[in-house]
Amino acid sequence: MTRSRNLLPLAGFAVCAVAMVSYFLFFARFPVTRDVPWASWLLFAAGLALLFVGLSRAFRQPERYRGRIAGPIFGILSLAVLGFFLFFTMIGSRQLPPPSSVAKVGGKAPDFTLPDPQGRPVRLYDDLLAGSRSGSWALLIFYRGYW
């Protein structure tokens, strides 16, 4: 009986590599897959499932399937790719440089102009000067994201 090739560990590694590369080239463009990379996680799960099936074939039926040496190598490489991806998306992308020109609490806000609901431009300082006579105020919220 001839032993057949066991290409499932290679296919699992290829799917894991595609999962990582596709996140940076495609999925990172869209907020729904950039903020929580669920599509890449699904691809990684499929790749690891293929890898597991290929390794179980190689070690349960060594007389029928090859891959007792190449399978663990592809398994380690797949786990390394997954580890790099998780580090980059979960930890590395959250490391932000310290803010240099962000307004402090109680400090002077930067002047800016934005359109109101009717589309007319409204300048912050003009609104505050007009509001000082009528008793109005402005609430500014600054969001600092991680993307």
Side-chain angles (χ1 to χ4, degrees):
M1 177 176 199
T2 62
R3 294 189 329 175
S4 62
R5 289 195 166 180
N6 187 10
L7 297 177
L8 288 179
L10 175 63
F13 171 70
V15 170
C16 287
V18 165
M20 186 176 77
V21 171
S22 67
Y23 175 78
F24 298 114
L25 295 180
F26 181 72
F27 292 128
R29 296 180 185 179
F30 308 105
V32 70
T33 54
R34 177 187 58 224
D35 298 341
V36 178
W38 57 270
S40 297
W41 290 344
L42 288 175
L43 287 171
F44 272 113
L48 292 176
L50 286 172
L51 182 70
F52 177 75
V53 170
L55 284 173
S56 65
R57 272 187 180 179
F59 284 97
R60 287 187 184 167
Q61 300 172 348
E63 67 281 347
R64 187 170 176 193
Y65 294 107
R66 296 186 202 178
R68 291 184 72 179
I69 296 173
I73 292 172
F74 285 126
I76 291 170
L77 289 174
S78 297
L79 289 176
V81 167
L82 175 63
F84 175 75
F85 178 78
L86 289 175
F87 174 78
F88 186 79
T89 58
M90 299 307 223
I91 297 169
S93 66
R94 303 315 195 253
Q95 303 299 321
L96 295 174
S100 59
S101 62
V102 175
K104 306 289 186 235
V105 175
K108 186 176 179 182
D111 188 26
F112 58 87
T113 303
L114 292 173
D116 67 0
Q118 287 78 30
R120 297 179 303 228
V122 176
R123 186 171 167 232
L124 175 67
Y125 285 173
D126 293 341
D127 192 38
L128 288 177
L129 290 175
S132 65
R133 287 177 257 150
S134 64
S136 68
W137 48 275
L139 174 66
L140 302 178
I141 300 174
F142 296 94
Y143 291 102
R144 184 168 181 234
Y146 56 83
W147 52 89

